[in-house]
Amino acid sequence: MIELAIQTRHTSEMVDITETVREAVIKKGIKSGLVAVFTPHTTASIVLFEKIDPKLRRDFLEALGRIAPANHPYHHDDANAAAHIKSALCGARVVVPMENAKMMLGEWQGIFFCEFDGPRERKVIVQVVNG
Ligand code: ZN
């Protein structure tokens, strides 16, 4: 198991962790298998997303903001109900096949850590199931 620390810088942001994950896996001497990337938080997510256009990340965060607006009168006692809802909608993990030290991501795909209640230091767990 590999544990990564991700320092986020904004309330809401998407951090491309594709290279960090790839390097961490290769450093362990693992070249193939299923790479599971998981985050143990309820106000953050891991998603596969388009990696080329940073403006699209803004579009995605704004779309989530329309689904779960910050200023809605939520029942949750903390001020972060919107972040919990976005986290549940986006999910806490992705799984990517890896072969010959290459993750089989599509040309446009990257692995992103989504922060919805930052900035904070966050944890990402990577586990490879050999196959
Ligand atoms: Zn809360």
Side-chain angles (χ1 to χ4, degrees):
M1 192 191 83
I2 302 162
E3 194 173 309
L4 304 171
I6 309 286
Q7 177 64 53
T8 61
R9 315 215 170 280
H10 303 284
T11 309
S12 258
E13 69 177 308
M14 297 178 76
V15 182
D16 187 344
I17 60 168
T18 313
E19 280 312 307
T20 312
V21 170
R22 191 194 321 265
E23 280 168 21
V25 169
I26 287 170
K27 212 185 271 181
K28 282 263 179 182
I30 302 162
K31 297 207 168 105
S32 28
L34 283 179
V35 181
V37 185
F38 167 80
T39 193
H41 301 289
T42 60
T43 55
S45 288
I46 302 282
V47 298
L48 294 177
F49 199 74
E50 202 267 8
K51 69 179 181 187
I52 308 297
D53 181 7
K55 288 182 292 189
L56 194 57
R57 293 171 216 162
R58 273 184 68 185
D59 288 331
F60 184 59
L61 293 173
E62 286 175 14
L64 288 171
R66 289 191 293 276
I67 294 167
N71 60 359
H72 182 81
Y74 296 102
H75 303 288
H76 185 49
D77 287 333
D78 289 341
N80 63 358
H84 288 299
I85 292 166
K86 292 171 187 175
S87 168
L89 289 172
C90 294
R93 84 288 174 256
V94 299
V95 175
V96 181
M98 184 167 177
E99 191 68 52
N100 298 322
K102 189 177 183 293
M103 286 200 286
M104 308 306 283
L105 291 164
E107 187 185 348
W108 305 94
Q109 279 180 323
I111 304 168
F112 285 83
F113 180 87
C114 301
E115 175 63 82
F116 299 124
D117 193 23
R120 292 195 204 190
E121 171 142 335
R122 299 294 206 168
K123 200 188 287 185
V124 171
I125 291 164
V126 180
Q127 178 119 41
V128 182
V129 181
N130 284 1

